[in-house]
Amino acid sequence: MYLLNYVWVPNSFVYLLILNFRFMESNDNLHADSNKKARILIIGATGRVGSHIVKELEKNSEGTVIRLSSTEIATVNKWNKEGYESAVLDLDKPETFAEALENVDRVFLLTSYTSDMLRQSKMLVDAAGEAGVGHIVHLGVFTSRRDLIPHFIWHDLIETYIESSGMAWTHIHPNVIADSILVVDPPISETGYFTVLWGDASQGWVFASDIAAVAAEVLRAGPQKHAGANYYLSTEVLTGTEVAARLSKGSGKDIKCIMLNPEDMTAMIDQIPSASVKNYMESAQITMQLAKGGKMQAQNIVKDDVFTVLGRPGLTMEQWAVENLK
């Protein structure tokens, strides 16, 4: 330690030199040693977005070490055999946190789609702080911070807690993830249709590959470049009918949109045994009701921070159809 608080140094040049060195030392969590590779923990590495992040980081992992996590021991063992650094991490089991977070510099935080996300996120953020993590990249929703939607509010609370943690943070806010509608089994290239649950109301759309590309770049570049940033990802605003038209044009196939209503979810939601999952799905139904009623104007905008981060525009529906439905 340095005793500048107690000892006067007569040489002002020496004083400034030591003070500057002490400043750099006190910001180790934000400005890592240039010779040290940043270790990145990916939570949800097998999921729709997480698996894409892993692929993106594998394309360019310069200056980083990737650690994958899963709740399944068998998956972790498989990764280890394949040469990946990996760890068991179960957000419902905080006893798994310490080992997974050991020597980690940056965390991609994606929690479960249940009301348990509040409890899970708080415990994980606390553990990350104790482990010396310097940067949390959180995947949230396309929030206006004034939305009357329970799971949007949950994400707002989580992000506020992360911001108060003392760690550097970056929040990624995707609008409707197109893959959740278009990447289905059997594929729409066979069925010729996809389904929406908000009538023919318009929505803002973004693809999982773009979310992952943004997240990977933020994780790779780190807090020096992205600390304190909110990135909003909404590439196009389209109705289901308009989506179908663009998919048809790009693929050369006749793709149709089946338009259902939010109330068509009710019977399914009523049968969900888990209270926390049911809470989340009820919130999703509220989102769809508001969308159908034209009451989500804050989300009906194009805000393409894919371009802000990556210097290229986000993937459009027509482009996706050319690449995936031909």
Coordinates of all heavy atoms in Angstrom, one line a residue, residues 12 93 127 138 146 156 161 205 217 220 233-234 274 277-278 288 304 306:
S12 N 6.9 17.1 -6.8 CA 5.5 17.0 -7.3 C 5.4 15.9 -8.4 O 4.4 15.3 -8.6 CB 5.1 18.3 -7.9 OG 5.9 18.8 -8.9
K93 N -29.2 -23.3 -6.5 CA -28.3 -23.9 -5.6 C -27.1 -23.0 -5.4 O -26.1 -23.1 -6.0 CB -27.9 -25.3 -6.0 CG -29.1 -26.2 -6.1 CD -28.7 -27.6 -6.6 CE -29.8 -28.6 -6.7 NZ -29.4 -29.9 -7.2
A127 N -22.8 -13.1 -4.9 CA -21.7 -14.1 -5.0 C -20.7 -13.6 -5.9 O -19.4 -13.7 -5.7 CB -22.2 -15.5 -5.4
H138 N -25.9 -8.3 -18.4 CA -27.3 -8.8 -18.1 C -28.2 -8.8 -19.3 O -28.3 -7.8 -20.0 CB -27.9 -8.1 -17.0 CG -29.3 -8.5 -16.6 ND1 -30.4 -7.8 -17.0 CD2 -29.7 -9.7 -16.1 CE1 -31.5 -8.5 -16.6 NE2 -31.1 -9.6 -16.0
R146 N -41.2 2.0 -17.3 CA -42.5 2.4 -16.8 C -43.6 1.4 -17.3 O -44.7 1.8 -17.3 CB -42.8 3.8 -17.3 CG -42.0 4.9 -16.7 CD -42.2 5.1 -15.2 NE -41.5 6.2 -14.7 CZ -40.3 6.2 -14.2 NH1 -39.7 5.0 -14.2 NH2 -39.7 7.2 -13.7
D156 N -36.3 -4.8 -14.4 CA -35.9 -3.5 -13.9 C -35.2 -3.5 -12.5 O -34.2 -2.9 -12.3 CB -37.1 -2.5 -13.9 CG -37.6 -2.2 -15.2 OD1 -36.9 -2.4 -16.2 OD2 -38.8 -1.7 -15.3
Y161 N -30.4 -3.5 -9.0 CA -29.5 -4.1 -8.0 C -28.1 -4.3 -8.5 O -27.1 -4.1 -7.8 CB -30.1 -5.5 -7.6 CG -29.5 -6.0 -6.3 CD1 -29.7 -5.4 -5.1 CD2 -28.6 -7.1 -6.4 CE1 -29.0 -5.9 -3.9 CE2 -28.0 -7.6 -5.3 CZ -28.2 -7.1 -4.1 OH -27.6 -7.6 -2.9
W205 N -38.8 -6.6 -33.4 CA -38.1 -7.9 -33.6 C -36.6 -7.9 -33.6 O -36.0 -6.9 -34.1 CB -38.6 -8.6 -34.9 CG -40.1 -8.8 -35.0 CD1 -41.0 -7.9 -35.5 CD2 -40.8 -10.0 -34.6 NE1 -42.3 -8.4 -35.5 CE2 -42.2 -9.7 -35.0 CE3 -40.5 -11.2 -34.1 CZ2 -43.2 -10.6 -34.8 CZ3 -41.5 -12.1 -33.8 CH2 -42.9 -11.8 -34.2
E217 N -19.4 -9.4 -28.1 CA -18.5 -8.3 -28.3 C -18.4 -7.5 -27.0 O -17.3 -7.0 -26.6 CB -19.0 -7.4 -29.4 CG -18.2 -6.1 -29.6 CD -16.7 -6.3 -29.9 OE1 -16.4 -7.4 -30.4 OE2 -15.9 -5.4 -29.5
R220 N -16.2 -9.6 -24.7 CA -14.8 -9.6 -25.2 C -14.1 -8.3 -24.9 O -13.0 -8.2 -24.4 CB -14.8 -9.9 -26.7 CG -13.4 -10.2 -27.2 CD -13.5 -10.3 -28.8 NE -14.3 -11.4 -29.2 CZ -15.5 -11.3 -29.8 NH1 -15.9 -10.1 -30.1 NH2 -16.2 -12.3 -30.2
L233 N -32.1 -3.6 -28.6 CA -32.1 -4.3 -29.9 C -33.5 -4.5 -30.4 O -34.2 -5.4 -30.0 CB -31.4 -5.7 -29.6 CG -30.0 -5.6 -28.9 CD1 -29.5 -7.0 -28.8 CD2 -29.1 -4.7 -29.6
S234 N -33.8 -3.8 -31.4 CA -35.1 -3.9 -32.1 C -34.9 -3.5 -33.6 O -34.9 -2.3 -33.9 CB -36.2 -2.9 -31.4 OG -37.5 -3.1 -32.0
S274 N -46.1 -25.4 -11.6 CA -45.1 -24.5 -10.8 C -45.6 -23.1 -10.7 O -45.9 -22.5 -11.7 CB -43.8 -24.5 -11.6 OG -42.9 -23.5 -11.1
V277 N -43.3 -20.5 -12.5 CA -43.4 -20.6 -14.0 C -44.7 -20.0 -14.4 O -44.8 -19.2 -15.4 CB -43.2 -22.0 -14.5 CG1 -43.5 -22.1 -16.0 CG2 -41.9 -22.6 -14.2
K278 N -45.8 -20.3 -13.7 CA -47.1 -19.8 -14.0 C -47.1 -18.3 -13.9 O -47.7 -17.6 -14.7 CB -48.1 -20.4 -13.0 CG -49.6 -20.1 -13.4 CD -50.5 -20.9 -12.5 CE -52.0 -20.8 -12.9 NZ -52.9 -21.6 -12.0
M288 N -48.8 -9.8 -24.2 CA -49.5 -10.0 -25.4 C -50.9 -9.3 -25.5 O -51.2 -8.7 -26.5 CB -49.7 -11.5 -25.6 CG -48.4 -12.3 -25.8 SD -48.6 -14.0 -25.8 CE -46.9 -14.6 -25.7
D304 N -31.7 0.1 -33.2 CA -30.8 -1.0 -33.6 C -29.4 -0.8 -33.1 O -28.5 -0.3 -33.7 CB -30.7 -1.0 -35.2 CG -30.0 -2.3 -35.7 OD1 -29.7 -3.1 -34.8 OD2 -29.7 -2.3 -36.9
V306 N -27.5 -3.1 -32.5 CA -26.6 -4.0 -33.1 C -25.5 -3.2 -33.9 O -24.3 -3.4 -33.9 CB -27.3 -4.9 -34.1 CG1 -26.3 -5.8 -34.9 CG2 -28.3 -5.8 -33.3

